[in-house]
Amino acid sequence: MIILTGAYRLFFPSAALFAGLSIPLWLLSHAGGTTPTSDPYLWHQHEMLWGYLPAALVGFLFTAIPNWTGRPALSPMALLALFTLWLAGRAAMFVTSGAVAPQILAASFLPVAAVLALREVVAAGNKRNIVVVAMVGAFWVAQLVFLWLDTQIGLTIGFAVALLLMTLIGGRVTPAFSRNWLKKRGATHLPAEFGTVDKSALILTMATALLWIITDTSLLTGSAAALATLAQALRLSRWRGLAVWKEPLLFAQHAAYAWIVIGLGLLTAVCLGDWASSGQAHHALGAGAIGSMTAIVMLRALLGHSGRPIEATRADTILLITLHLGAALRICADWVSDPTVFYHAGGTLWAVAMIALAIRAFPIAIAPRL
C-alpha cells in the first residue's frame, strides 16, 4: 500500500484529522454536553499535547531521519505497527482516560518511537540529531509525570519540552528554507547565519523552561521569560520573514515561530503580574505555536516528498489564516468578561482548519509520487 511507504503519508493526515475532531468533542463537553470519556478535562490536555503532537512529531522524525542518516525508511510493517500503537492509545484514552491500562497503552508510543529513531541515528553516526531524540524521551517523561504523579507539573514539563523542540527545529528549518528561496531569486540580503543571537535565544529559552518546571510561575521564571522573549523576537527578525511573504508556505513558518515569542511574552505576563493567565500562555504555545508549526511542516513535507511543488494554493493560505485566527481568539477569551463565545469560535476555527488540512493531505498521502 502506498500509504505505508512513508511516515508522512500515514501520520500527517491522521494527526490533522484527530486534532480537528478532538476539539469539537472538547467544546461539546465544555458546554455541558455528554461525551464518552470519563474525564474530559484530563483527556483534552493529554490528547492535544501527547496525542496530536507525537503523531506530527513522529511523522516528521521518520520522514527526516532517512535524509539525515542516508539509511532506509521504516519498513511498511514497522510503520503500520507504530501507527497502530498510536491509534490504540487514542481510542483507549477516549473511552477511559482515568484508568491505568489505557494510560499505559498511551504512554508506550513515545518510548517505542524514540528507540526506533535512536537506532537509526546511532547506526549512521549522526550525533547532531541525538539531541532531537533525547527531547522525545524528555517529552515521554513529562507524559509519565502528567499521568501518574502531578498533572500540573507534567503539563508544565510537556509545554517546556515542546517549547525547546520548536525552538530547535523551527530555528533550523525556517531560516534555511527562506535562505534557499531567496538565493534562487538572486537576493543578496539573506537570513542571518546561526550566531550569537541564536545561541543567546536558545540558552535563555532553555533557562526559562527549566525555571518554569522548577519554580513554576515565579519571579525568576518571569525574568528569564522576559529576556527569552526579547532574544527570540530579535532572532526571528533576522530571518527576513517579510522578504518571503509572497510565498505563503514560507511566510507561514515565520508566523508560526512568532507564536513562540507571544507564548514567552504571555508567560512573562503571568509571572510578573496579573495581565495574563497560564491558560493563555499554554494556548499560545499549544494552539498557536504547536498548531501552526506542525501544520506548516506537515503540509510542506507532504508536498515536497510527494514530488509536488512546495507552493501554497489559495485554500492553503485560507487554512493557515484560519488556524492562526482560531488560536488568537482562544487566547483573547481570557481577557473578556464572558469568554464562552471566544472559546467556541476560536476552537471551531482551529478545528475547521485542521480538518481542512486532513482533507488536503489524504489525497496526497494515497497517491503515487509525481
Side-chain angles (χ1 to χ4, degrees):
M1 294 177 65
I2 290 175
I3 200 169
L4 296 178
T5 60
Y8 69 94
R9 293 180 182 272
L10 192 56
F11 277 102
F12 287 170
S14 302
L17 183 62
F18 174 74
L21 295 178
S22 296
I23 293 301
L25 288 171
W26 162 242
L27 292 175
L28 177 64
S29 175
H30 187 268
T34 302
T35 56
T37 186
S38 56
D39 189 336
Y41 191 58
L42 181 146
W43 175 80
H44 171 65
Q45 290 179 320
H46 181 273
E47 290 303 281
M48 296 316 296
L49 201 52
W50 288 286
Y52 167 70
L53 180 54
L57 179 58
V58 167
F60 166 78
L61 270 180
F62 288 104
T63 300
I65 283 176
N67 294 331
W68 294 346
T69 64
R71 290 174 59 81
L74 281 180
S75 69
M77 287 301 99
L79 184 59
L80 180 60
L82 191 60
F83 177 77
T84 302
L85 183 59
W86 173 79
L87 191 62
R90 307 289 64 77
M93 287 296 289
F94 181 69
V95 175
T96 51
S97 58
V100 174
Q103 292 175 353
I104 291 174
L105 180 60
S108 63
F109 176 71
L110 280 172
V112 171
V115 168
L116 288 173
L118 185 62
R119 180 193 67 180
E120 298 301 308
V121 170
V122 170
N126 187 249
K127 296 180 180 179
R128 178 190 181 194
N129 289 301
I130 288 178
V131 65
V132 178
V133 180
M135 297 295 286
V136 176
F139 196 49
W140 175 56
V141 171
Q143 183 184 24
L144 299 182
V145 173
F146 178 86
L147 289 173
W148 295 316
L149 294 177
D150 187 296
T151 56
Q152 189 56 50
I153 295 175
L155 198 66
T156 299
I157 299 172
F159 275 114
V161 173
L163 170 63
L164 294 177
L165 267 171
M166 291 185 291
T167 298
L168 186 66
I169 296 173
R172 182 186 298 181
V173 301
T174 304
F177 291 164
S178 298
R179 187 178 298 112
N180 292 340
W181 189 85
L182 288 169
K183 276 184 178 180
K184 288 180 180 179
R185 282 147 187 83
T188 55
H189 185 195
L190 302 174
E193 297 285 350
F194 187 89
T196 303
V197 171
D198 303 273
K199 292 176 184 177
S200 300
L202 285 169
I203 291 169
L204 288 168
T205 302
M206 186 177 296
T208 300
L210 290 173
L211 288 169
W212 192 12
I213 293 168
I214 296 169
T215 69
D216 198 21
T217 53
S218 67
L219 182 62
L220 278 174
T221 303
S223 301
L227 292 174
T229 302
L230 295 174
Q232 290 280 26
L234 180 58
R235 187 188 197 198
L236 178 61
S237 72
R238 289 157 48 86
W239 291 343
R240 302 223 58 218
L242 293 178
V244 300
W245 72 270
K246 290 183 178 179
E247 177 41 65
L249 293 188
L250 267 181
F251 184 71
Q253 289 186 283
H254 295 260
Y257 201 90
W259 279 108
I260 293 178
V261 180
I262 295 170
L264 285 167
L266 287 169
L267 180 60
T268 302
V270 172
C271 298
L272 302 184
D274 58 355
W275 308 299
S277 66
S278 293
Q280 287 173 300
H282 289 163
H283 282 90
L285 293 175
I290 293 173
S292 60
M293 196 173 291
T294 52
I296 191 61
V297 167
M298 289 191 292
L299 186 51
R300 286 185 62 92
L302 281 159
L303 293 172
H305 286 274
S306 64
R308 291 164 171 80
I310 306 179
E311 298 172 353
T313 64
R314 183 173 295 181
D316 293 334
T317 303
I318 294 171
L319 179 162
L320 292 167
I321 291 172
T322 303
L323 195 68
H324 285 286
L325 184 58
L329 286 174
R330 172 56 188 87
I331 291 162
C332 290
D334 291 354
W335 283 322
V336 299
S337 56
D338 184 3
T340 305
V341 173
F342 281 78
Y343 282 154
H344 288 265
T348 299
L349 288 174
W350 197 90
V352 165
M354 280 297 180
I355 291 173
L357 177 59
I359 293 171
R360 171 84 157 107
F362 271 116
I364 300 173
I366 61 175
R369 178 181 170 85
L370 296 183

